[in-house]
Amino acid sequence: MKNLLPALSLLAPLLLPLGRSAGDADVRALLPDAQGIQPVEVRISEADEEAIARAVGRSPAGGGVVVRGAAAPAPAIEVYRTRAKVEDEPRDLRVALVPAKGPKGGFRLAVAVDGEGIVRAAKALGDAGGAGSDKFLSQFLGEWATAHAGAATPRPLSALEEKRNAAKGEGPEAKKLRTLFALRGLMVEDQAAADAIEQALGKKEAASAVPHAKRIAENLGKIAALGADLPPILEGKEVASFVEFAEATRKVAEELVQALEKGDAARATNLSSTALQQSCARCHGFDDHRYRKPLTSAFEKLREEAGIGSGYFVVGHDVVPVPGEEAASQAAAFAVKEAILVLGKTK
């Protein structure tokens, strides 16, 4: 493919108008009020191509990442600049159109980031299944995104696997890794189960939500049991409070199971959308401990320091998948990650 670059550069004047027209439409599909859409040519070194390929789980031998601007033929990533409103405020944005492949075939993900590298908009172009939904993509958006770029973003995926292997070892560091991995994994599972419950109740299929509610209750029991492993992450009364929060939330989840099994959709909806979320929030916001910040923020910082924080964009680790659509969710998550890494090379 690289041997074709000289020839493609000669054809660029012929290809650019067509590429720009198609790209304009895609950028406007993401940002309807986009103004001054301009294609950007991003030149990436071979080393960077290989690094990005490793970061999104693609073998460099398989072609790496080739970015040549709007005139480039598929499957190259297209990059644009534009200005559009984000939360009613005009912003200068960079947009990447990233090809991806899910169980239903190929699709593209349009991703817009601002000058600080924060993802401000994302949209699937083509059939990405549930992974193209606003709900799934919302976890990548904004300053408080639950799945966001971090120190781990440019790292190869093998770095996460190395940490998983290290967690199987002996000693305090291995124990800390195990605890942090376990807590994060259970939280991601619970969020996916909560999403599945919301989906089932929306379809008036309460019975199908029962196993998901049971999963949440079971996981909260496991979280409470992790209290003994929290020292020295938390100590003494801090651990007692953590366990108390987990047990209280488990009881709400068990009430939800009972309501679903009885077919009481109104009570189940109230428990799911209000009581359960409020109980979870009390623990997530708990700050009466040594870190003096909401517990979720404290644990995120600890994970980052341990090398297992957000930024890997791996389903089940820092990305909550669409229930039953894990493969599509992973394809979309890696497309967002690739967009962030490529756009980071633009000025």
Side-chain angles (χ1 to χ4, degrees), residues 139 141-148:
Q139 67 188 300
L141 306 182
E143 297 176 36
W144 312 111
T146 55
H148 56 268

Side-chain angles (χ1 to χ4, degrees), residues 127-152:
D127 191 354
S133 69
D134 290 343
K135 183 173 181 59
F136 174 76
L137 293 174
S138 67
Q139 67 188 300
F140 304 101
L141 306 182
E143 297 176 36
W144 312 111
T146 55
H148 56 268

Side-chain angles (χ1 to χ4, degrees), residues 40-112:
V40 177
E41 183 172 359
V42 183
R43 297 185 180 277
I44 294 181
S45 69
E46 185 174 347
D48 284 338
E49 288 182 17
E50 294 178 353
I52 292 173
R54 289 193 294 270
V56 298
R58 183 174 59 243
S59 170
V65 178
V66 181
V67 183
R68 291 186 292 274
I77 296 170
E78 297 174 24
V79 178
Y80 296 84
R81 291 189 189 283
T82 189
R83 188 168 178 79
K85 287 185 178 180
V86 175
E87 297 178 349
D88 295 327
E89 179 184 344
R91 291 178 182 266
D92 291 322
L93 302 168
R94 292 162 291 156
V95 178
L97 305 176
V98 184
K101 187 174 183 180
K104 295 186 177 183
F107 64 93
R108 290 201 294 175
L109 204 70
V111 180

Side-chain angles (χ1 to χ4, degrees), residues 135-171:
K135 183 173 181 59
F136 174 76
L137 293 174
S138 67
Q139 67 188 300
F140 304 101
L141 306 182
E143 297 176 36
W144 312 111
T146 55
H148 56 268
T153 304
R155 294 175 186 161
L157 293 182
S158 58
L160 182 61
E161 190 60 30
E162 288 170 5
K163 290 293 183 179
R164 292 192 189 282
N165 289 333
K168 299 174 184 177
E170 300 294 333

Side-chain angles (χ1 to χ4, degrees), residues 5 21 25 28 43 88 91 103 116 131 166 176 182 202 231 257 264 269 307:
L5 286 177
S21 176
R28 291 188 191 284
R43 297 185 180 277
D88 295 327
R91 291 178 182 266
E116 297 178 354
K176 182 178 180 180
V257 171
D264 189 344
T269 298

Side-chain angles (χ1 to χ4, degrees), residues 157-225:
L157 293 182
S158 58
L160 182 61
E161 190 60 30
E162 288 170 5
K163 290 293 183 179
R164 292 192 189 282
N165 289 333
K168 299 174 184 177
E170 300 294 333
E173 286 306 310
K175 175 193 170 186
K176 182 178 180 180
L177 282 172
R178 281 196 300 275
T179 302
L180 292 174
F181 268 128
L183 282 171
R184 183 56 177 160
L186 290 167
M187 288 290 97
V188 171
E189 282 187 11
D190 282 355
Q191 184 59 59
D195 290 347
I197 292 169
E198 179 183 350
Q199 186 179 63
L201 289 174
K203 294 179 179 179
K204 302 187 184 304
E205 298 174 354
S208 67
V210 172
H212 300 295
K214 287 183 175 179
R215 170 60 64 86
I216 292 175
E218 178 184 341
N219 282 354
L220 285 164
K222 292 178 181 179
I223 290 169

